[in-house]
Amino acid sequence: MNRNILVIIGIIFLAAAMLIWRPFDDSVSTEEQQGYREIKPDFTAKGLIVRVYGEQGELAHKIAAEQMTHYSPIGLTELMAPTYIVQLDNNGPMWQVEAEQGSFYADKTLVLERNIEMTSLSAEEFVERIETSYLTINTREELVITEQPVLIIGRDFTAKGEGMRADLRAQTLEMTKHVETIYTGRSATSN
């Protein structure tokens, strides 16, 4: 009886050793990684500026980046240190959005990540600057959306919240969840 138990324990030990050893075989994951790496960029450019004009020939928006890498098979342009500038009409307000990293997709969606600062280039705007860590911009409709913490800085206030939706055309901004607002009083420039 002891001999049969030893044989069964030996078989279980060998089966367990084979099961444990098998997951560490990385030939499948290496093949998958090589398949992903086969997508080569169509171009990589440094200091490239893309300008998009409206129907009447006016500048609608501009995207600049320290480096752009474009992959046409998947409709993606990766951006390092991107700057997005939107002008709503010839005399309308202009906004500049800067980030550390971004992705521009074929459907005209711009996704920005890390240390994002959205600044009004117009002196008369109530909201001067918005800071967050992740933003999605629909460049066709000029909609800006995030679910991340947001800091909004205006002429006489600072507001903190969780998430935001801004319509640049309608000049509206809605905070999803308000956390805190600090009113600073009259600004020194409005004396």
Side-chain angles (χ1 to χ4, degrees):
M1 185 93 156
N2 283 342
R3 189 177 215 185
N4 289 340
I5 291 177
L6 287 174
V7 170
I8 292 173
I9 290 175
I11 291 172
I12 291 173
F13 178 75
L14 285 172
M18 297 235 358
L19 287 174
I20 291 173
W21 173 72
R22 189 162 171 84
F24 294 108
D25 179 21
D26 63 348
S27 62
V28 173
S29 63
T30 303
E31 290 173 10
E32 289 174 2
Q33 288 176 356
Q34 287 174 347
Y36 177 74
R37 290 182 184 162
E38 286 182 19
I39 299 175
K40 294 193 178 2
D42 294 316
F43 68 85
T44 299
K46 294 186 181 202
L48 187 65
I49 299 173
V50 176
R51 291 178 179 91
V52 178
Y53 295 91
E55 294 175 7
Q56 306 300 320
E58 74 282 356
L59 179 65
H61 55 263
K62 176 171 72 172
I63 300 173
E66 286 181 12
Q67 181 174 323
M68 292 184 182
T69 306
H70 181 69
Y71 302 89
S72 62
I74 56 176
L76 169 68
T77 302
E78 293 178 340
L79 309 165
M80 295 303 299
T83 300
Y84 172 71
I85 297 176
V86 62
Q87 183 168 1
L88 301 175
D89 57 40
N90 287 335
N91 299 322
M94 289 178 58
W95 288 89
Q96 174 175 298
V97 186
E98 296 178 304
E100 285 184 24
Q101 182 179 338
S103 301
F104 189 62
Y105 295 93
D107 68 351
K108 306 299 183 216
T109 300
L110 177 62
V111 176
L112 300 174
E113 301 176 66
R114 295 196 308 267
N115 295 325
I116 300 165
E117 194 170 289
M118 184 172 171
T119 308
S120 171
L121 300 178
S122 173
E124 282 85 46
E125 288 298 315
F126 183 68
V127 174
E128 296 171 349
R129 189 172 76 236
I130 300 170
E131 298 175 2
T132 189
S133 62
Y134 185 90
L135 261 180
T136 302
I137 302 173
N138 177 329
T139 62
R140 287 186 176 147
E141 298 178 23
E142 276 104 18
L143 295 176
V144 179
I145 300 170
T146 185
E147 297 299 322
Q148 298 301 310
V150 177
L151 176 66
I152 300 172
I153 301 166
R155 281 183 267 167
D156 298 326
F157 71 95
T158 302
K160 294 179 183 176
E162 296 283 331
M164 142 189 115
R165 177 182 165 86
D167 184 335
L168 298 178
R169 284 185 190 160
Q171 292 291 296
T172 60
L173 181 129
E174 176 184 347
M175 211 179 295
T176 307
K177 178 182 174 192
H178 178 259
V179 175
E180 172 185 61
T181 299
I182 299 172
Y183 179 69
T184 57
R186 266 183 86 157
S187 66
T189 60
S190 63
N191 287 332

